[in-house]
Amino acid sequence: MREAFPKEFVLLSHLRAWFQQLRDIALEGKASLQSVVVESALDPFPLRRTLLGYGKRSFMADLRAGASVALLDIPQGMAYALIAGLPLQYGITCSAIAALVGPLLASSRHTIFGPTNATAFMVFSYFAAYPNMDRIGMMPLLVFMTAALLIAGAFLRVAELTQFISRTVVVAYVTGASILIAVNQLPVLLGIPAEVLQASGKLVITFPGHVHRILTHLDHAGWLSITFSVLTLASFLSMKRWLPRWPAFAVTIVVISVLALIPAAFGLHVPTFSNATFTWSELLPPFPDFMSTGALANASRLFGLAAALAFLATLENSAMSKTLASRSNQRVDPNQDMLALGASNLACAYLSGMSASCSLTRSALNYASGARTGLASMWNGLCCLIGALTLGGAVAYIPRAALATLVICVAVSLFNKRHIRISIHATRSDALVFVITLLATLMLPLHVAIFVGIGVSIVLYLRKASRPSLVEYEFNEEGHLTEAREGARQHPAISIVHVEGDLFFASADLFRTQIQRSCVDPSLRIIILRLKNARHLDATCAMAIEELVRTLRMDGRDLIISGVVKDLYRVLKDSGLVEVVGKDNIFPASPSNPNLATRNALRRAQEILGIKDADVRIYFDPSKQDKT
């Protein structure tokens, strides 16, 4: 017993130490989390500022705008649910829930959250590639993961990074997605039965695949569906042309649904959504599954799609909110709106089952309808919720061809000819990014295609940015630092190389190569790197400079650095290059006289070479002298 007691005591002491370490880690994590929350500067309830001064005029304006948007939102929600391959009620409830929750946290007064064609088709494209996956069962988990990524991104201020994404990528992606949406709805428009398409057993996710499937099944097209497609198109375009203030989408669906009753009276069957009706008890989706044995595997498989949806939603929201803010003279916070998107998707994960984004068409309509505050979105959401509770049986009368035609009309409206023309003709790199992104969108799953486009644009940007300008300089008779004449170097043993541009990892090899070319001259003994206009020095270029110093000294040469600004010097010091180059060979920049550091570097070079000629005149502007 005496021996057992010390062992138990030691074990308890170890356990106590481990618990203390865990407690310390938990406290550090809590402190870090609190720091992130504080630094994010997010407002937990920005709508309170609206409510403080809310009056009758604003209420009436928001109510009219919300009702107008709802007349578009309800049929569009059904259309986007159709695109995603989900029950129609998912689209309506997503419109309702996202529109109700979003304004509570959003900074924009006019954006409308809900399903969009781009995100809906991205979902369809992914699950079409994996037909064995339970689409309806996995959607709540997917939407929850999307919400988690959006909320985390808002606190980490990730939304600000969207400004670095090329607009050309977005234009090409939207164009390609619109083409795919249109061709995907063509079989429904032509009346080709879904059973016939499914009987072929072929997996279709690419544009050529869709076209081939349509062409090989044209003999199964139904003339009645084609007739109603033509009537739908004529009605929609007539409404847009002659009654632009009317809700063309909603009115067209009602008119065509009534007309569809005529052939039914004569025994002719018009394919409708008779098997897609729903009641209020069927509105809720299954809750996200976190407890089953396959939950972790499903989350792993859906992570890429969730990241793509979160990114696309942020991009759509940022573009639309900034556009409307510029028109209404309002300041928006993209991270605050990203948080609102995350909260909307979190609510949709439990109450809708479809991912939400920022709708470009409905947001524009909300602004055009005279919305004054974010409460217009909430009135729209309330109208959509009433529609979801009452219109479940009415969808049985909507012809499938009519809704497919309206989906195609929406897809075609997303073609922006001017933006496409600018993207193609602006620069070579923009044209290349557009073509590659468009082809990737047409040939790959959409959650992959958008990152392909982003990757190509970043690579081309790095290619441009990785070419620093290196020019040999000299002092002229007036004391100005100018480009040296070829073969006329003042001191044959000394070369002043002016470096301008970004010195980061992508430019390291080019930087090293250009300096080595300067060393071909056997009379050259000292290289003065003038880094006054060099930026963003990183570890890769720091290693390249270190290798250059060692190589030069092995050949009996040396390197001097002039014009070093504070940020550059910090990198040189932290990387240990100050010791490698030598403090005597580094000359900081002088704000009052930009050429002073280079003059001192030139004198240092003469000192190393033992040259007595120190007559180095340099221009000095007294007006720039630091008064301190």
Side-chain angles (χ1 to χ4, degrees):
M1 291 293 293
R2 293 179 179 178
E3 295 179 358
F5 179 74
K7 291 182 180 180
E8 293 178 357
F9 180 78
V10 171
L11 180 60
L12 287 173
S13 63
H14 282 309
L15 287 174
R16 189 180 296 109
W18 291 338
F19 280 123
Q20 183 62 37
Q21 289 178 357
L22 287 175
R23 183 173 177 274
D24 293 340
I25 293 172
L27 291 174
E28 290 178 5
K30 180 182 178 181
S32 300
L33 185 60
Q34 289 176 340
S35 175
V36 169
V37 171
V38 172
E39 292 176 1
S40 67
L42 296 176
D43 191 339
F45 188 53
L47 190 64
R48 70 182 184 279
R49 290 189 292 270
T50 298
L51 296 175
L52 289 175
Y54 201 64
K56 182 178 178 181
R57 290 186 178 180
S58 296
F59 169 77
M60 294 305 298
D62 288 342
L63 183 61
R64 284 194 299 269
S68 299
V69 174
L71 291 174
L72 174 64
D73 210 343
I74 292 174
Q76 269 199 358
M78 292 191 293
Y80 295 150
L82 178 66
I83 291 173
L86 297 171
L88 297 184
Q89 65 266 29
Y90 278 27
I92 305 176
T93 53
C94 180
S95 296
I97 300 303
L100 286 169
V101 175
L104 297 175
L105 294 168
S107 66
S108 175
R109 297 196 299 260
H110 300 108
T111 51
I112 299 292
F113 294 164
T116 63
N117 58 351
T119 54
F121 198 78
M122 181 179 284
V123 171
F124 169 81
S125 172
Y126 179 85
F127 284 105
Y130 302 99
N132 295 327
M133 296 179 69
D134 180 10
R135 184 180 313 201
I136 295 177
M138 286 191 173
M139 279 303 300
L141 177 61
L142 172 64
V143 179
F144 181 89
M145 293 173 63
T146 304
L149 290 173
L150 285 168
I151 294 172
F155 281 104
L156 296 175
R157 306 193 70 78
V158 173
E160 296 170 353
L161 299 179
T162 57
Q163 62 184 313
F164 300 108
I165 304 302
S166 170
R167 186 67 180 272
T168 303
V169 174
V170 180
V171 172
Y173 175 82
V174 171
T175 302
S178 301
I179 294 172
L180 286 174
I181 290 170
V183 298
N184 185 58
Q185 294 300 314
L186 277 178
V188 183
L189 182 149
L190 297 172
I192 302 174
E195 298 78 13
V196 175
L197 298 175
Q198 293 171 359
S200 62
K202 294 181 180 179
L203 179 65
V204 178
I205 60 173
T206 65
F207 176 73
H210 283 293
V211 173
H212 179 265
R213 184 178 65 168
I214 293 169
L215 293 178
T216 53
H217 293 90
L218 278 177
D219 54 330
H220 293 92
W223 67 270
L224 203 54
S225 293
I226 296 174
T227 301
F228 273 90
S229 296
V230 174
L231 289 174
T232 302
L233 181 62
S235 174
F236 181 76
L237 295 179
S238 298
M239 292 284 297
K240 299 286 286 185
R241 170 77 174 174
W242 305 111
L243 299 169
R245 293 183 177 274
W246 286 40
F249 215 101
V251 172
T252 299
I253 285 182
V254 172
V255 170
I256 300 302
S257 298
V258 172
L259 291 176
L261 298 175
I262 298 175
F266 292 93
L268 298 175
H269 175 65
V270 180
T272 65
F273 290 97
S274 57
N275 61 342
T277 58
F278 55 90
T279 62
W280 65 269
S281 61
E282 297 175 309
L283 293 180
L284 289 179
F287 278 9
D289 178 17
F290 302 112
M291 305 304 295
S292 67
T293 54
L296 188 60
N298 290 336
S300 178
R301 296 179 69 179
L302 293 173
F303 181 80
L305 177 58
L309 287 171
F311 174 79
L312 183 58
T314 304
L315 208 59
E316 286 183 328
N317 180 72
S318 177
M320 197 65 215
S321 62
K322 289 179 180 178
T323 300
L324 295 179
S326 64
R327 297 179 186 176
S328 59
N329 195 26
Q330 178 195 3
R331 183 179 176 276
V332 295
D333 182 355
N335 293 291
Q336 185 73 43
D337 291 337
M338 190 178 188
L339 178 64
L341 266 175
S344 298
N345 276 277
L346 185 61
C348 287
Y350 290 93
L351 301 174
S352 169
M354 190 171 180
S355 60
S357 181
C358 176
S359 171
L360 308 183
T361 53
R362 299 193 295 277
S363 297
L365 177 61
N366 188 43
Y367 173 79
S369 299
R372 295 189 178 185
T373 70
L375 288 175
S377 172
M378 302 187 76
W379 295 126
N380 161 57
L382 186 61
C383 292
C384 290
L385 185 59
I386 295 173
L389 294 171
T390 59
L391 298 177
V395 300
Y397 300 99
I398 301 175
R400 289 181 175 269
L403 194 56
T405 303
L406 291 175
V407 168
I408 293 175
C409 290
V410 173
V412 172
S413 69
L414 295 175
F415 283 89
N416 193 317
K417 294 181 180 179
R418 176 164 177 76
H419 287 174
I420 294 173
R421 189 176 185 279
I422 292 173
S423 298
I424 293 175
H425 293 94
T427 64
R428 275 183 168 180
S429 59
D430 281 314
L432 185 60
V433 168
F434 181 87
V435 171
I436 292 177
T437 305
L438 180 61
L439 290 176
T441 305
L442 297 176
M443 303 301 295
L444 298 173
L446 295 189
H447 69 286
V448 176
I450 190 168
F451 290 119
V452 169
I454 292 170
V456 171
S457 66
I458 291 175
V459 168
L460 291 178
Y461 166 75
L462 292 177
R463 186 170 176 269
K464 286 182 181 179
S466 64
R467 298 190 175 187
S469 172
L470 275 73
V471 182
E472 190 170 10
Y473 271 33
E474 66 178 4
F475 286 103
N476 59 17
E477 295 180 356
E478 289 80 21
H480 291 287
L481 199 59
T482 60
E483 288 190 28
R485 294 165 295 173
E486 190 172 351
R489 191 185 297 152
Q490 286 178 325
H491 299 281
I494 304 173
S495 174
I496 303 174
V497 180
H498 175 76
V499 182
E500 186 162 351
D502 295 319
L503 292 180
F504 64 112
F505 62 91
S507 59
D509 287 339
L510 183 62
F511 170 74
R512 185 192 297 109
T513 301
Q514 290 183 344
I515 293 295
Q516 288 174 344
R517 286 177 182 171
S518 302
C519 298
V520 173
D521 185 358
S523 61
L524 182 62
R525 296 282 308 283
I526 304 290
I527 293 179
I528 299 175
L529 281 184
R530 189 172 186 263
L531 300 183
K532 178 180 176 295
N533 293 329
R535 302 176 298 272
H536 306 144
L537 180 69
D538 68 355
T540 306
C541 268
M543 293 179 203
I545 292 175
E546 182 177 3
E547 293 171 4
L548 178 64
V549 171
R550 299 189 188 283
T551 302
L552 288 172
R553 287 177 179 171
M554 286 176 61
D555 292 339
R557 306 179 183 188
D558 211 340
L559 179 77
I560 298 174
I561 302 177
S562 73
V564 180
V565 296
K566 289 183 178 179
D567 289 342
L568 198 63
Y569 186 83
R570 180 185 59 78
V571 177
L572 295 176
K573 182 179 179 181
D574 293 345
S575 62
L577 272 181
V578 172
E579 288 74 16
V580 174
V581 178
K583 288 186 178 181
D584 294 338
N585 287 350
I586 298 177
F587 296 89
S590 172
S592 60
N593 194 335
N595 295 333
L596 182 62
T598 305
R599 183 196 65 176
N600 294 334
L602 184 58
R603 285 180 171 172
R604 169 62 178 163
Q606 293 171 342
E607 179 185 334
I608 293 174
L609 296 174
I611 300 175
K612 300 299 183 181
D613 177 18
D615 183 17
V616 181
R617 289 173 295 176
I618 186 166
Y619 177 75
F620 174 67
D621 186 355
S623 64
K624 295 183 179 180
Q625 186 174 10
D626 190 358
K627 294 181 181 181
T628 59

